[in-house]
């Protein structure tokens, strides 16, 4: 029994509470320090799954493609993230649909703070934190180039900050929707990179990613305005109460603070869109430059073929302006004298 209790501490989420409902009692969860033990266990699980995907899928594809070192590293990165984002999108979509967060948008801010979580919501957040924490030692295991490490560290840090903030500040419902939108756009981006590495002339999925990215940015901004601008200011309990998990809803009752937060959110989304537009313009410029260079090469090849026409050579050789056959005789037929 002692071993079983210890095993449950690593495998299952802790801090379960029986919450009375109209149909009886419902078991829900809140967070605490024991979650670190569960996260540590799933970090090792994520490392094992990472190695399985690398060994049995990505390495076999890499042997067939014969990519360069730079493309090899990017292919492995995108391959791992495609598997993770696809799994997370399906899992997150299942959670938000079964919990009714999409069908009832008011549930994103009603009854805030959302201290008690369903099992699948808490388990999803623990696995998300474990995955992004496992990405830190994977930088060493995958022998990532030094030039790529700062970029990947920034990406990992941003995900950890956003997921941990939503989990600790009891904004898990809003965090689930935002993660779903973000992972959906990231899935199409890394899928487009994989297709591009296999065939550099195929960039159609980048166009699909561009459309999905713009749509998800608009939905993200709309959600921020809806929840921060209209939802949280209408919460009944506006007092600061850290023991009950109410950390900052009272701040949103102040219109100046609320507008400042919305301004920061809009500026951040604008910077993301600016980088996206800059990336698209650079990609289109490179594409048209490549197309124009191909046309110039094709035109130059055609003109060269027209100028260099094949010369017809007579059989034999010339001697004193007279064409001689190979045996020294003249190729002209001799006139026979009439008898």
């Amino acid at each position: 029994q002692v071993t079983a209790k210890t095993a449950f501490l690593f495998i299952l989420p802790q801090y379960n509470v029986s919450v009375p409902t109209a149909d009886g009692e419902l078991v829900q969860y809140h967070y605490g320090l024991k979650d670190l033990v569960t996260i540590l266990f799933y970090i090792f699980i994520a490392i094992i799954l990472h190695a399985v995907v690398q060994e049995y899928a990505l390495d076999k594809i890499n042997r067939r493609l014969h990519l360069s070192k730079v493309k090899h590293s990017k292919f492995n990165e995108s391959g791992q993230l495609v598997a993770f984002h696809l799994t997370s999108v399906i899992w997150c979509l299942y959670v938000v649909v079964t919990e009714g967060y999409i069908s009832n948008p008011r549930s994103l801010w009603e009854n805030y703070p959302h201290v008690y979580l369903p099992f699948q919501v808490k388990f999803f957040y623990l696995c998300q934190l474990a995955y992004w924490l496992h990405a830190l030692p994977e930088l060493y295991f995958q022998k990532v180039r030094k030039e790529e490490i700062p970029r990947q560290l920034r990406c990992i840090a941003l995900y950890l900050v956003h997921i941990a903030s939503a989990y600790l500040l009891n904004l898990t419902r809003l965090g689930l929707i935002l993660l779903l939108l973000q992972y959906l756009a990231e899935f199409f981006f890394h899928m487009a990179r994989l297709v591009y590495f296999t065939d550099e002339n195929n960039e159609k999925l980048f166009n699909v990613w561009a459309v999905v990215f713009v749509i998800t940015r608009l939905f993200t901004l709309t959600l921020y305005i809806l929840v921060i601008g209209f939802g949280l200011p209408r919460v009944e309990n506006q007092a600061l109460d850290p023991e009950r998990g109410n950390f900052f809803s009272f701040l949103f009752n102040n219109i100046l603070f609320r507008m400042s937060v919305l301004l920061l959110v809009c500026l951040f989304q604008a910077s993301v869109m600016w980088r996206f537009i800059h990336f698209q313009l650079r990609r289109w410029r490179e594409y048209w430059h490549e197309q124009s260079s191909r046309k110039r090469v094709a035109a130059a090849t055609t003109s060269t073929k027209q100028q260099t026409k094949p010369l017809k050579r007579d059989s034999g050789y010339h001697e004193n302006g007279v064409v001689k056959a190979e045996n020294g005789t003249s190729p002209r037929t001799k006139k026979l004298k009439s008898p």
Side-chain angles (χ1 to χ4, degrees):
Q1 293 182 354
V2 176
T3 307
K5 290 181 179 179
T6 306
F8 288 149
L9 180 64
F10 283 90
I11 298 173
L12 297 177
Q14 303 299 309
Y15 303 104
N16 55 320
V17 178
S18 297
V19 179
T21 60
D23 299 331
E25 290 187 351
L26 182 64
V27 178
Q28 292 191 331
Y29 297 81
H30 60 94
Y31 61 81
L33 291 176
K34 292 181 181 179
D35 291 341
L36 297 176
V37 180
T38 309
I39 291 173
L40 179 63
F41 173 76
Y42 285 101
I43 286 175
F44 293 113
I45 298 297
I47 292 175
I48 295 172
L49 293 177
H50 190 114
V52 169
V53 173
Q54 185 68 41
E55 178 71 21
Y56 293 99
L58 298 179
D59 285 345
K60 291 183 178 180
I61 298 174
N62 275 320
R63 294 191 194 100
R64 296 181 180 180
L65 296 178
H66 303 288
L67 300 174
S68 62
K69 290 184 178 180
V70 176
K71 290 184 177 181
H72 180 83
S73 177
K74 291 182 178 180
F75 184 88
N76 288 336
E77 177 190 358
S78 294
Q80 293 288 347
L81 289 175
V82 161
F84 168 72
H85 286 138
L86 179 60
T87 305
S88 296
V89 165
I90 296 173
W91 189 2
C92 189
L93 183 62
Y94 174 79
V95 172
V96 297
V97 170
T98 54
E99 294 296 332
Y101 299 152
I102 293 181
S103 60
N104 182 22
R106 290 178 176 271
S107 61
L108 298 179
W109 63 81
E110 282 183 344
N111 301 321
Y112 179 83
H114 307 131
V115 179
Y116 299 112
L117 307 175
F119 172 82
Q120 59 181 354
V121 174
K122 176 166 182 174
F123 189 61
F124 177 81
Y125 270 92
L126 294 180
C127 290
Q128 291 295 313
L129 291 170
Y131 178 86
W132 290 110
L133 286 172
H134 112 280
L136 294 173
E138 285 294 343
L139 296 177
Y140 173 76
F141 295 147
Q142 294 292 320
K143 297 179 180 180
V144 178
R145 296 184 307 145
K146 293 182 180 180
E147 297 82 2
E148 293 289 326
I149 289 178
R151 179 186 62 83
Q152 296 200 24
L153 284 177
R154 285 195 300 269
C155 179
I156 294 169
L158 285 174
Y159 274 112
L160 285 175
V161 168
H162 282 80
I163 295 172
S165 298
Y167 184 64
L168 297 176
L169 298 177
N170 301 313
L171 289 169
T172 51
R173 299 180 183 182
L174 176 62
L176 281 172
I177 305 297
L178 295 178
L179 277 178
L180 177 61
L181 295 173
Q182 177 66 22
Y183 285 164
L184 185 63
E186 289 292 313
F187 167 75
F188 280 101
F189 173 72
H190 290 286
M191 194 67 197
R193 283 219 305 184
L194 289 181
V195 175
Y196 175 76
F197 289 141
T198 56
D199 182 11
E200 294 186 354
N201 295 322
N202 191 349
E203 297 186 0
K204 294 181 180 179
L205 268 182
F206 278 111
N207 299 327
V208 177
W209 164 71
V211 175
V212 173
F213 182 86
V214 173
I215 294 174
T216 53
R217 290 302 100 191
L218 291 175
F219 271 103
T220 300
L221 185 59
T222 304
L223 274 176
Y224 273 118
I225 295 174
L226 185 65
V227 175
I228 296 175
F230 300 98
L232 289 177
R234 298 181 180 181
V235 174
E236 296 180 359
N237 185 11
Q238 294 289 343
L240 176 63
D241 192 359
E243 293 183 358
R244 295 184 178 181
N246 193 348
F247 294 101
F248 56 87
S249 64
F250 72 100
L251 294 173
F252 291 100
N253 199 22
N254 187 345
I255 189 171
L256 182 62
F257 178 81
R258 187 163 69 246
M259 295 304 294
S260 300
V261 172
L262 287 176
L263 180 61
L264 290 175
V265 170
C266 292
L267 288 176
F268 176 75
Q269 295 298 324
S271 66
V272 172
M273 285 300 299
W274 170 251
R275 289 196 297 269
F276 168 77
I277 293 171
H278 180 71
F279 170 78
Q280 289 296 324
L281 290 176
R282 185 182 63 185
R283 189 170 70 87
W284 288 338
R285 187 165 55 248
E286 292 175 354
Y287 174 76
W288 288 115
H289 178 72
E290 182 181 356
Q291 291 295 322
S292 61
S293 62
R294 287 181 179 179
K295 289 180 180 179
R296 286 196 298 268
V297 171
T301 305
T302 305
S303 61
T304 304
K305 288 181 179 179
Q306 291 177 354
Q307 291 175 1
T308 58
K309 294 181 178 180
L311 298 175
K312 294 182 179 179
R313 294 184 177 181
D314 296 327
S315 60
Y317 62 95
H318 291 76
E319 182 178 337
N320 296 327
V322 180
V323 180
K324 298 291 184 179
E326 292 181 357
N327 56 3
T329 61
S330 175
R332 297 179 182 177
T333 56
K334 292 182 180 181
K335 294 182 179 180
L336 299 176
K337 292 182 181 182
S338 58

